[in-house]
Amino acid sequence: MDLILFGVGVLLISSVAGFFIGKHLMLKYVKENSTINEDMIRSMMLSSGQKPNQKKINQMMKVLNTKKPQ
């Protein structure tokens, strides 16, 4: 019985630790490797049928840059 409780405890602790370590690593990766740039926004707008102008692209870049995790 003690062995089962110990196993469940270890499983819970390792799951919580793994979650927080994974979250930290993903946030660090996204912060260092921003994947969206002006060319990607322009192509997304063209594929959705919108005419991209520089003002719209700048607005979208501003929104994306202010919403980055800290």
Side-chain angles (χ1 to χ4, degrees), residues 51-67:
K51 282 193 171 185
N53 59 17
Q54 196 61 37
K55 183 178 178 183
K56 284 184 183 178
I57 293 171
N58 290 340
Q59 286 175 344
M60 291 181 77
M61 286 299 293
K62 185 177 180 182
V63 168
L64 290 173
N65 288 334
T66 57
K67 297 289 182 183

Side-chain angles (χ1 to χ4, degrees), residues 1-8:
M1 183 69 174
D2 290 336
L3 185 60
I4 294 172
L5 288 175
F6 179 74
V8 170

Side-chain angles (χ1 to χ4, degrees), residues 18-32:
F19 170 77
F20 285 110
I21 291 170
K23 180 181 173 186
H24 173 73
L25 291 174
M26 284 301 294
L27 288 176
K28 181 180 173 187
Y29 176 80
V30 168
K31 186 176 181 181
E32 290 175 355

